Every structure is written in C-alpha cells, then in structure tokens.
Amino acid sequence: MSERFAAGKVALITGSSRGIGRSLALSLAAKGASLVVNFKRSEELAAAVVAAAEEAGGRAIAVQADMEVPEEIDRLFDAAAAEFGRLDYYVGNAAASSFKLIPDLKLHHLDRSYAMNVRAFVLGAQRAVELMDRGGRIVTLSSYGSIRAYPTYANLGAAKAAVEAWVRYMAIEFAPLGINVNAVNGGIIESDSSAYFYDVEGMPSLDTVLPKVPKARMGTVKEVADTVEFLLEPRSEYITGQSLVVDGGLSIIAPPFFDDATGPLRLPEPGDGEDAGAASDA
C-alpha cells in the first residue's frame, strides 16, 4: 500500500470527532486526504480533529450536523461540495440507539433508531454518489448485533442488519459508477459506545464476556479504523457488497465454549510453555 494513497482524495466521515471516526480521519489526513469532519455536539472535539489533521499535512473542515435530521444531512453535504467540489470517500460512522428489551421499546425509540442508523446512511449515500465524479468508496460501520442476538440490542442490531442489506443493494446499483460499497462489522470495541452499553443495569460484566472471545480482549478503535481504511485503498478494488467482520473471532464461536471445558479440551493459556498445544512427535 502506498503511504500516500489518499493524496488528492476527499473524505466525509460522519461522527468523526471521536472514536473510530476520529482515528480514521487522522490516518487519512496523514496519507494526504482532505476531510469533512462531522460532529453533532462537541465543536471543541471536532476542532481538535481538524487541527490534528492539518498538522498531519491534510486539509479539513468541521461541520455540525445531526444525522437524524434530513435537512442537516443536506447541509453537511452542501458544505462538502462548497469547500471541495467533490467526494471520493463517504464513511457512515455516526450511530445511536436505545438499549432496551423489546417490550420496553416505545414508538420514538424505533423511529429515532431508524432515522439515525438506516435513513441517515441511505440519504448520505444518495448525496455522496452525486459528488463522486471519478468513482469512490462508501463504507458504513455495523456491529455483530446485526447477525447475533444479545440483551437490549434488538433496536440497534435490527437497524445494523438493515444497513448491511442496503450495502448489498447499493453495491449492485453503484458498481457501474465505479463506486464500491461495503460495511465493517465490529465486535466488542473499546470505545465510549461499548462503555455505555455495558453500563446498562443488569448487563453481564466484561470480565465474564471477554474470556469467551478467542482473542480474549476488546478490539481497538484503530483496528476497526484500519479495516475501514483498507476498504478505501486501491488494493480493495474488487471487494464490494461485503460486511467485513472485525471481532477477534467472537461471531464464529458457539457453546459449548472451550473456555468452559476442562482437562485436555481446554485451550492452552498464554505462558503455558513453548510446546503447549503442539502435536506429539510420536
């Protein structure tokens, strides 16, 4: 990969004042991209991302827009068009929902989750395509709640499943325009969002959850951002309509868990010795 593959490119990343969006924005800036940094509330955090991007050698603007509001989505893309005239990358990163059991979901919970996670991505993609005059890449952030069920995540998980379906349809329709569309499906990532989710009353502690993950740890925002970046690079040109999972192996396991096994069935622990788990020479 060229360290300057994004030189001359323009990227719009929603929710890029912190977390995965921020990590991706700064990495792209270091590789020569111009940025549209979107934020909902914290102008200070967004300004810090712009300053860091410019220090890294990129060009950036910050635009306040609530992705739940169609008029503000238009304002965001209008600002991108006015400043840069075009787009190469659109990354739908902003997300929000309510973590409740299904009987406790009210109408406004359903409506707002759809508006923020599904409708915003579709409206943003429509506007992005208009500005991608030389082809481009669209990537959205999903989560393993789109393919697995766990407590209080139905509202957001169903929305993410819908987004992944949109990715497949967009990939077909936009391919003749030279635009690839993909999703990155993250597992348990160490971020503000996961901290909020695991703070829900009654939620199992991460101390009981992480041992079930084959990699036995949370993922980092940089690991997810790096995967999104891969899907923006020239070397991923033949990948479209896919949901790339970044979860440390979480979604491929099922009970009975190796972690609950005993004796010879238990996987070796780190530090058990150089020959731990190795086949016998006999």
Side-chain angles (χ1 to χ4, degrees), residues 12 67 73-82 87 90 124 127-128 131:
L12 188 156
M67 299 303 291
I73 295 173
D74 279 334
R75 180 161 52 78
L76 171 63
F77 282 87
D78 287 344
L87 278 180
Y90 165 50
R127 290 299 310 271
L131 295 172

Side-chain angles (χ1 to χ4, degrees), residues 206-230:
L206 273 172
D207 291 339
T208 67
V209 173
L210 292 182
K212 308 297 185 188
V213 179
K215 296 293 285 186
R217 65 171 177 85
M218 300 177 79
T220 68
V221 295
K222 186 178 187 306
E223 287 171 322
V224 179
D226 284 349
T227 305
V228 175
E229 187 172 298
F230 165 70

Side-chain angles (χ1 to χ4, degrees), residues 6-255:
K9 305 291 187 180
V10 181
L12 188 156
I13 307 167
T14 66
S16 44
S17 65
R18 59 190 177 92
I20 294 167
R22 178 184 184 277
S23 179
L24 176 63
L26 296 183
S27 181
L28 289 176
K31 295 175 175 64
S34 296
L35 301 174
V36 180
V37 177
N38 162 246
F39 69 100
K40 180 178 180 180
R41 293 192 181 91
S42 182
E43 184 175 1
E44 182 178 352
L45 287 178
V49 175
V50 169
E54 291 176 343
E55 185 177 349
R59 179 181 164 201
I61 62 170
V63 182
Q64 189 282 329
D66 184 348
M67 299 303 291
E68 194 177 327
V69 182
E71 293 77 13
E72 297 194 21
I73 295 173
D74 279 334
R75 180 161 52 78
L76 171 63
F77 282 87
D78 287 344
E83 183 70 22
F84 300 111
R86 52 181 310 284
L87 278 180
D88 297 281
Y89 311 137
Y90 165 50
V91 179
N93 171 66
S97 190
S98 49
F99 298 129
K100 297 178 180 295
L101 296 176
I102 294 172
D104 298 327
L105 289 170
K106 308 301 183 187
L107 181 61
H108 70 277
H109 296 137
L110 299 172
D111 288 346
R112 294 191 66 185
S113 187
Y114 171 80
M116 183 66 190
N117 300 287
V118 184
R119 187 178 71 189
F121 173 61
V122 177
L123 294 178
Q126 289 175 330
R127 290 299 310 271
V129 168
E130 294 173 356
L131 295 172
M132 291 179 172
D133 58 343
R134 296 178 297 189
R137 305 293 174 88
I138 295 174
V139 181
T140 187
L141 274 296
S142 184
S143 79
Y144 80 112
S146 67
I147 54 176
R148 296 290 186 271
Y150 48 95
T152 76
Y153 208 81
N155 201 18
L156 184 54
K160 292 298 189 182
V163 165
E164 291 188 17
W166 277 102
V167 162
R168 294 188 288 274
Y169 281 96
M170 288 180 186
I172 296 170
E173 289 199 24
F174 299 161
L177 304 175
I179 298 170
N180 290 5
V181 187
N182 291 289
V184 171
N185 183 314
I188 304 175
I189 308 301
E190 191 170 5
S191 65
D192 293 345
S193 298
S194 62
Y196 178 76
F197 174 74
Y198 278 97
D199 196 42
V200 171
E201 184 178 359
M203 192 64 60
S205 166
L206 273 172
D207 291 339
T208 67
V209 173
L210 292 182
K212 308 297 185 188
V213 179
K215 296 293 285 186
R217 65 171 177 85
M218 300 177 79
T220 68
V221 295
K222 186 178 187 306
E223 287 171 322
V224 179
D226 284 349
T227 305
V228 175
E229 187 172 298
F230 165 70
L231 291 172
L232 304 179
E233 295 172 15
R235 61 179 173 169
S236 66
E237 166 59 27
Y238 206 54
I239 300 173
T240 194
Q242 304 304 309
S243 296
L244 189 54
V245 178
V246 185
D247 68 355
L250 177 60
S251 59
I252 62 172
I253 61 172

